Amino acid sequence: MSAKDKLLLAARDCLLTKGYAHTTVRDLVAASGANQASINYHFGSKEQLLTKALRDLNTEWGELLFAVIEEPEGASDEPRARVEALWGRIIESIRGNRALWFVNFESVASARQDGEIRAMIASGQERARVALARAFAGLGPDSDPEDVQAAGSHYLALLVGLASQCLTDPERAPTASQFAAAHFGRSS
């Protein structure tokens, strides 16, 4: 494995265990076995190395999310059961990939100073809106773009809020059943 690849792997591991703000050059050197000068040689700076690794992790996060919201074979035709199962898969994915979700949340904070990270997040959010509008509202490519934007934004806000609760207070975070009950009402 090349020094550049070792540095990227080290940056990925550091982001998942320490986060963006707490990863130091010393951490990257220790985790990669590379020397400090190789960071600047291959990436220009620690920040550019971490941004590249962050981009890769955000791509991985997006792929996980899109895989989870795809309708599995044999899914229920009953709307409430379908929505509850979908939220259940999302919650399971959040809990199973906590470090990746934390990195995603931390990247939002980094977007304030970094236009590249901000653009990456905005692009990912647009893809997520379209996928969520399809998964939850059945809006496909032939749907009115304003409807897709509105529905996708609604479900993205729910997803982000749910993830925040699952990460910070998992014992009291809502269940898939509670989300379905809020969507359809308790009596349906």
Coordinates of all heavy atoms in Angstrom, one line a residue, residues 38 46 65 67 69 80 95 117 123 125 138 140 162-163 188:
S38 N 4.9 13.8 4.2 CA 4.1 13.1 3.2 C 2.7 13.6 3.2 O 2.0 13.6 2.1 CB 4.2 11.6 3.4 OG 3.6 11.2 4.6
K46 N -3.1 19.0 6.3 CA -3.9 18.0 7.1 C -5.4 18.2 6.7 O -6.1 17.2 6.6 CB -3.7 18.3 8.6 CG -4.6 17.5 9.5 CD -4.5 17.9 10.9 CE -5.6 18.9 11.1 NZ -5.9 19.2 12.5
L65 N -27.4 4.8 3.3 CA -28.7 5.3 3.5 C -29.6 4.9 2.3 O -30.7 4.5 2.4 CB -28.7 6.9 3.6 CG -30.0 7.5 3.6 CD1 -30.8 7.1 4.8 CD2 -29.9 9.1 3.6
A67 N -29.3 2.4 0.3 CA -29.5 1.0 0.3 C -30.6 0.6 1.3 O -31.5 -0.2 1.1 CB -28.2 0.2 0.7
I69 N -33.1 2.6 2.3 CA -34.5 3.1 2.0 C -35.1 2.4 0.8 O -36.2 2.7 0.5 CB -34.5 4.6 1.9 CG1 -33.6 5.1 0.8 CG2 -34.2 5.3 3.2 CD1 -33.7 6.6 0.6
R80 N -49.0 1.6 6.4 CA -48.5 1.8 7.7 C -47.3 0.8 8.0 O -46.3 1.2 8.5 CB -49.5 1.7 8.8 CG -49.0 2.0 10.2 CD -50.0 1.9 11.2 NE -49.5 2.2 12.5 CZ -50.0 2.9 13.4 NH1 -51.1 3.6 13.2 NH2 -49.4 3.1 14.6
R95 N -28.1 3.1 14.3 CA -27.5 2.4 15.4 C -26.3 1.5 15.1 O -25.4 1.4 15.8 CB -28.6 1.6 16.2 CG -29.6 2.6 16.8 CD -30.6 1.9 17.7 NE -31.4 3.0 18.3 CZ -32.3 2.8 19.1 NH1 -32.6 1.6 19.5 NH2 -33.0 3.8 19.6
I117 N -16.7 21.3 1.6 CA -17.5 20.4 2.4 C -19.0 20.9 2.3 O -19.9 20.0 2.2 CB -17.0 20.4 3.9 CG1 -15.6 19.8 4.0 CG2 -18.0 19.7 4.8 CD1 -15.0 19.9 5.3
S123 N -24.9 18.7 -2.1 CA -25.2 17.7 -3.2 C -25.8 16.4 -2.6 O -26.7 15.8 -3.2 CB -23.8 17.4 -3.9 OG -24.0 16.4 -4.9
Q125 N -27.5 16.1 0.1 CA -28.8 16.4 0.6 C -29.8 16.3 -0.6 O -30.9 15.9 -0.4 CB -28.9 17.7 1.3 CG -28.2 17.6 2.7 CD -28.2 19.0 3.4 OE1 -28.4 20.0 2.8 NE2 -28.0 19.0 4.7
G138 N -43.7 8.1 -2.6 CA -43.9 7.5 -3.9 C -43.7 8.4 -5.1 O -44.3 8.2 -6.1
G140 N -41.8 9.8 -8.0 CA -40.7 9.4 -8.9 C -40.3 10.5 -9.9 O -40.6 11.6 -9.7
L162 N -34.3 12.4 13.7 CA -34.3 11.0 14.3 C -32.8 10.6 14.6 O -32.5 10.1 15.6 CB -35.0 10.1 13.3 CG -34.8 8.6 13.7 CD1 -35.6 8.3 15.0 CD2 -35.4 7.8 12.5
A163 N -31.9 10.8 13.6 CA -30.5 10.4 13.8 C -29.9 11.2 15.0 O -29.2 10.5 15.8 CB -29.8 10.7 12.5
S188 N -55.0 4.1 13.2 CA -55.0 3.4 11.9 C -54.1 2.2 11.9 O -53.3 2.0 12.7 CB -54.6 4.4 10.8 OG -53.5 5.1 11.1

